[in-house]
Amino acid sequence: MNEKVIPDIDERNQIVNELDKNMLVEAGAGSGKTTSIVNRMVSLVISGKCKVENMAAITFTRKAAQELKERFQNELERRYREEENTAIKSALKEALENMEKSFIGTIHSFCASLLRERPVEGGVDPDFEEMDELTDKLMHKQAWQQYLLDIRKDFPEKLAELNDIGIKPADMEEIFNLLTEYPDVEVVRSRIQKPDLMPVVKELKKLLYRARHYIPKTEPEKGYDSLQSKIMDSVRMLSYFDMDTDINRVSILERFENEQRVILNRWLCDSATTKQIQGEFNTIAQTQIKPALQKWREYCHDVVMSFLLPAVEYYENLKARRSGLNFQDLLLKTVNMLKNHPEVRLYFQNKYRCLLIDEFQDTDPIQAELMFMITGQDINEKQWHKLVPHPVPFLLSGIRNSPYTDSEGRISIYTTA
Ligand SMILES: Nc1ncnc2c1ncn2[C@@H]1O[C@H](COP(=O)(O)OP(=O)(O)OP(=O)(O)O)[C@@H](O)[C@H]1O
Ligand SMILES: [Mg+2]
């Protein structure tokens, strides 16, 4: 590429030359973010502003981390070969010799290294196992299946309770996975008595039996309107199905939960009477059906959660027995350690004077939290969004596919200093 035609050459130079400013870089795919990070790392070495052992270069996948390491090493070697100034040459040589002391790796392995160094404050077993996604998935499956077997054997009434609300255990595996994936999300619940839906069903039934007399026996030329169809279906359902079960009660109530539409000329009665019937359905929906279904859904939520939360605990125990930490645990435990131990924060701030992040995942706030904890000036501040990063460590984030990237994928820079 000819430098003259690079439209964002100034921004690219700024990344390499303005080393006392924190930067957030947004740019499109393949625009040169990783190249810019590598150039900035080399520039930090040459300027003497940061030694490799005080550098942490973080990215998201293992493949990207390996590539970042190789590109940094190649660039150091190339510059070393071409450099003529002896002071700079020796800085580059020292960096090459000490490269292994820098941290260049994934965000998860970065967290693991912090926790291994301070396991007591991190609240982890010093010999914890880093679980990759596959290992974690297998453990999920194992925990879920074992939990279901135990329930079948020891608490069959729990399955009956689920069956009564029309849910099969297999339907819940996905929610179980979600709950374990986001352990920081608090489940709001309260113990709720099973509501009695029968009185509302009885009221609805009276209205249905009254309304059906105004529906023609033979179908109107343009068909029955939607309220008429629902009424006829429900009257049939009331005579064929057993209304002793809650699932059937809910099924009939759900049809009349929302506002009803009518087409006046399809009814046997005059318009005023048709509108009155429509009004009565809408009133019972608002005053009785909606509140009853709301209670019913709160009750179901409670039943589902009392089935699922012990399963989550089962998985957590299984993981704890193996001292396993999955990706989310690594992030959460590291953030909590930094949040609650100012001296640990200070320690790592001194160790990593320079933080360079490629492929920053702006969709996961926990990563932003980690970044601010490790760069923030006030080590006692627990709310990450109130933290202001030190001018050093520098911070450079390559954001991939950011919604803010300019339409031509050019580099834009935001600085805090
Ligand atoms: N200033 C530049 N001049 C010439 N070529 C460049 C420049 N910057 C980057 N390139 C080249 O463009 C290609 C993509 O660069 P790079 O991998 O740094 O982009 P990226 O933004 O990190 O890509 P990705 O979105 O895939 O992570 C590479 O082949 C690199 O050598
Ligand atoms: Mg890249």
Side-chain angles (χ1 to χ4, degrees):
M1 226 188 285
N2 180 348
E3 287 216 345
K4 282 195 191 117
V5 300
I6 300 178
D8 49 15
I9 189 71
D10 289 344
E11 283 81 1
R12 287 173 201 262
N13 287 339
Q14 230 178 309
I15 295 173
V16 180
N17 298 327
E18 296 188 12
L19 302 175
D20 293 319
K21 280 185 183 165
N22 294 312
M23 288 182 184
L24 170 71
V25 173
E26 295 181 335
S31 55
K33 298 180 297 289
T34 306
T35 308
S36 293
I37 283 216
V38 168
N39 288 342
R40 187 169 167 98
M41 288 162 78
V42 174
S43 191
L44 284 162
V45 167
I46 288 175
S47 67
K49 283 186 189 285
C50 186
K51 292 193 175 300
V52 279
E53 49 268 46
N54 298 126
M55 232 180 242
I58 296 169
T59 183
F60 197 64
T61 63
R62 282 205 209 138
K63 185 168 169 282
Q66 189 53 36
E67 188 190 316
L68 188 59
K69 208 179 239 178
E70 281 166 15
R71 285 171 73 168
F72 182 45
Q73 180 162 2
N74 290 344
E75 194 55 19
L76 285 174
E77 285 171 353
R78 187 183 71 80
R79 298 287 282 270
Y80 174 73
R81 279 196 307 273
E82 293 171 5
E83 189 57 59
E84 285 172 4
N85 177 312
T86 48
I88 297 181
K89 216 171 163 71
S90 89
L92 287 161
K93 183 164 181 275
E94 192 189 323
L96 278 163
E97 284 166 0
N98 289 331
M99 234 195 95
E100 283 311 310
K101 292 188 193 156
S102 67
F103 180 89
I104 303 178
T106 64
I107 180 128
H108 302 109
S109 61
F110 181 67
C111 290
S113 79
L114 265 53
L115 290 170
R116 290 222 192 272
E117 211 167 324
R118 303 299 286 257
V120 177
E121 292 90 342
V124 298
D125 176 343
D127 296 321
F128 69 83
E129 176 198 346
E130 281 168 60
M131 289 164 44
D132 60 20
E133 268 172 324
L134 181 65
T135 317
D136 192 29
K137 265 208 179 104
L138 289 173
M139 193 176 283
H140 265 102
K141 267 259 171 284
Q142 189 191 347
W144 179 244
Q145 282 164 359
Q146 193 59 45
Y147 176 72
L148 290 186
L149 282 176
D150 285 7
I151 288 280
R152 274 199 187 101
K153 187 159 65 73
D154 301 328
F155 304 101
E157 68 279 7
K158 280 198 165 259
L159 290 173
E161 211 178 22
L162 273 186
N163 193 45
D164 284 349
I165 60 168
I167 293 181
K168 291 192 223 45
D171 299 337
M172 290 193 302
E173 190 169 353
E174 216 167 299
I175 314 174
F176 164 74
N177 288 336
L178 274 178
L179 284 172
T180 49
E181 217 172 295
Y182 300 102
D184 47 331
V185 174
E186 195 189 334
V187 177
V188 177
R189 60 188 283 241
S190 49
R191 199 70 240 173
I192 290 188
Q193 278 289 324
K194 187 175 185 171
D196 181 5
L197 299 173
M198 208 47 203
V200 189
V201 172
K202 276 187 181 153
E203 282 302 307
L204 177 65
K205 190 173 169 180
K206 277 193 242 162
L207 180 56
L208 286 168
Y209 278 62
R210 206 150 40 80
R212 71 169 168 170
H213 295 300
Y214 301 111
I215 301 175
K217 292 245 172 333
T218 46
E219 186 166 2
E221 205 175 303
K222 291 184 178 167
Y224 289 114
D225 73 18
S226 83
L227 179 57
Q228 288 174 326
S229 307
K230 280 186 200 170
I231 293 171
M232 289 188 302
D233 275 358
S234 307
V235 168
R236 232 172 283 133
M237 193 175 165
L238 283 168
S239 51
Y240 291 122
F241 287 89
D242 170 14
M243 277 301 133
D244 286 345
T245 73
D246 282 310
I247 309 176
N248 287 343
R249 292 174 190 170
V250 168
S251 156
I252 204 159
L253 290 177
E254 275 178 341
R255 294 158 193 233
F256 297 95
E257 184 181 7
N258 295 314
E259 198 153 312
Q260 303 299 331
R261 289 172 189 279
V262 295
I263 299 173
L264 296 174
N265 64 12
R266 306 213 183 150
W267 291 70
L268 292 175
C269 46
D270 56 39
S271 300
T273 314
T274 309
K275 280 186 184 159
Q276 195 203 319
I277 290 168
Q278 179 191 22
E280 284 184 53
F281 274 103
N282 291 340
T283 306
I284 195 173
Q286 286 305 323
T287 58
Q288 299 191 48
I289 299 178
K290 260 185 197 296
L293 286 176
Q294 167 82 13
K295 279 247 155 356
W296 172 255
R297 286 168 190 147
E298 284 167 10
Y299 166 73
C300 291
H301 174 77
D302 187 42
V303 170
V304 168
M305 284 306 150
S306 37
F307 189 87
L308 283 176
L309 292 179
V312 174
E313 209 176 297
Y314 201 99
Y315 158 79
E316 290 295 338
N317 288 340
L318 192 64
K319 207 161 50 149
R321 276 209 298 279
R322 273 177 55 175
S323 295
L325 298 182
N326 65 19
F327 282 175
Q328 196 64 6
D329 296 331
L330 289 166
L331 282 162
L332 281 173
K333 292 208 181 274
T334 307
V335 166
N336 283 336
M337 168 174 79
L338 296 171
K339 199 187 271 180
N340 299 321
H341 298 276
E343 75 287 359
V344 176
R345 233 194 271 186
L346 191 61
Y347 171 78
F348 285 117
Q349 289 196 350
N350 282 325
K351 178 165 179 176
Y352 296 113
R353 309 203 59 84
C354 191
L355 198 63
L356 300 114
I357 304 180
D358 199 7
E359 306 274 347
F360 174 66
Q361 308 289 301
D362 53 349
T363 48
D364 187 357
I366 191 114
Q367 292 198 27
E369 197 169 353
L370 173 73
M371 225 164 64
F372 277 86
M373 286 292 158
I374 215 155
T375 56
Q377 294 181 16
D378 179 359
I379 55 166
N380 293 304
E381 177 58 65
K382 292 192 178 192
Q383 295 183 48
W384 68 270
H385 45 87
K386 289 195 180 158
L387 281 165
V388 178
H390 283 287
V392 183
F394 318 97
L395 183 146
L396 171 70
S397 310
I399 299 199
R400 194 178 49 166
N401 301 330
S402 156
Y404 312 109
T405 304
D406 98 3
S407 57
E408 285 159 36
R410 282 185 298 214
I411 285 179
S412 356
I413 295 182
Y414 302 86
T415 58
T416 63

